[in-house]
Amino acid sequence: MSGGATDIAVVDLAAVAADLQALGGARILLGHQSVGRNILTGVAALAAETGVGLRIVEIDVLPPDPLPGLFHTPIGANGDPDSKCQMFRRLLDRPERPAYDLAMMKFCYVDLGRGTPLEARVMLERYAATIGALRVARPDVRIVHSTLPLRTAPAGWKATIKRVIGRPPEEDADNALRSAFNAGLRARFAAEPIFDLARIESTRPDGSPNSIRVGGRPVQVLEAGYSNDGGHLNAAGQRRAAAEFLRTLAAALPPRSAGL
């Protein structure tokens, strides 16, 4: 289903307003790339629509002041997940010890695929090692995890026939790798807060899952109605992802930082 009124209606604005209010007194770090910017655009739109403001500040290395806010910055290079892990660690484990209640780093869909340097298992281990080091260096900051975003699956009769005869489009393999990473992340950090972006991206407006089968297994794929280019989020996708992003962060807040 393409973006439109149906997509917009699935966002519970009362819940969004409550989450924004809870986050109003918190300091949050987000390391991201382009899909992260899509989500932040959605956050800003929801804040304007609900009338509940949230301070969003792009930083280089350090926040400009000790006030609450959602501080974000691009990290690393797309296609190089190790560089993102290293940059995220440097943002937190530094002499100034910038104060944050929550911190999250988000990979991009281009970080894992057939042409990228790491396989899903190794990428997850590198990420887990980064988080383990940060838990030692910054036990005062709660880490929120994020699943990898997805891409849409090739559609049309040619793609369908290829899947039926056991020669699926090559893009299916990329989403299968992302699905493997996401499954591993959910299992590894099951007891911790996870922003499940992949689940949101692969859930249709009617609540049904959007998936394909690769090697006999279901693989989540981005719902086409949430994107105009097969990877980045359009207005409908931004709203859905932003609402879940805010819900996850608000639920993860330590009691002392909740509220305005």
Side-chain angles (χ1 to χ4, degrees):
M1 182 179 294
S2 60
T6 302
D7 298 320
I8 293 173
V10 301
V11 175
D12 184 342
L13 289 177
V16 168
D19 293 334
L20 285 165
Q21 289 172 344
L23 294 168
R27 288 173 62 87
I28 303 159
L29 172 66
L30 173 64
H32 65 94
Q33 283 286 348
S34 56
V35 175
R37 287 196 180 276
N38 295 162
I39 295 168
L40 291 174
T41 297
V43 169
L46 290 175
E49 189 169 351
T50 60
V52 182
L54 181 66
R55 183 176 180 232
I56 302 175
V57 181
E58 184 164 2
I59 64 173
D60 183 11
V61 175
L62 295 170
D65 53 50
L67 299 175
L70 172 52
F71 304 99
H72 70 99
T73 184
I75 56 171
N78 277 338
D80 184 359
D82 277 342
S83 71
K84 296 185 177 184
C85 289
Q86 292 163 8
M87 180 63 179
F88 185 61
R89 183 172 176 177
R90 286 198 294 269
L91 287 169
L92 287 167
D93 187 7
R94 52 186 312 106
E96 300 90 345
R97 292 182 65 82
Y100 296 109
D101 299 293
L102 304 173
M104 176 197 297
M105 67 167 287
K106 191 193 70 57
F107 292 112
C108 191
Y109 53 80
V110 297
D111 292 329
L112 186 59
R114 287 160 294 129
T116 55
L118 301 181
E119 61 180 76
R121 181 186 59 80
V122 174
M123 184 170 160
L124 180 59
E125 291 302 323
R126 301 275 182 88
Y127 171 76
T130 298
I131 299 306
L134 284 173
R135 286 196 176 117
V136 174
R138 295 299 307 268
D140 55 313
V141 180
R142 189 172 196 193
I143 302 295
V144 180
H145 311 283
S146 174
T147 53
L148 267 168
L150 310 168
R151 286 190 58 82
T152 55
W157 66 269
K158 288 185 179 180
T160 300
I161 291 175
K162 285 184 176 181
R163 293 186 181 106
V164 169
I165 65 176
R167 298 177 61 186
E170 291 183 349
E171 293 89 339
D172 286 5
D174 291 343
N175 273 323
L177 290 171
R178 296 170 192 130
S179 184
F181 175 89
N182 290 337
L185 183 136
R186 294 182 189 108
R188 174 74 67 93
F189 301 105
E192 301 175 27
I194 298 175
F195 169 45
D196 201 341
L197 176 57
R199 179 182 62 81
I200 291 299
E201 288 191 332
S202 63
T203 300
R204 301 185 181 99
D206 64 6
S208 63
N210 187 31
S211 65
I212 57 175
R213 297 193 74 82
V214 178
R217 297 180 180 180
V219 169
Q220 294 176 321
V221 295
L222 174 61
E223 166 64 19
Y226 303 152
S227 177
N228 295 328
D229 65 2
H232 295 96
L233 299 175
N234 61 19
Q238 289 168 11
R239 287 174 64 86
R240 289 177 61 85
E244 179 64 13
F245 176 75
L246 293 170
R247 187 201 67 77
T248 303
L249 292 179
L253 276 178
R256 63 180 175 82
S257 60
L260 296 173

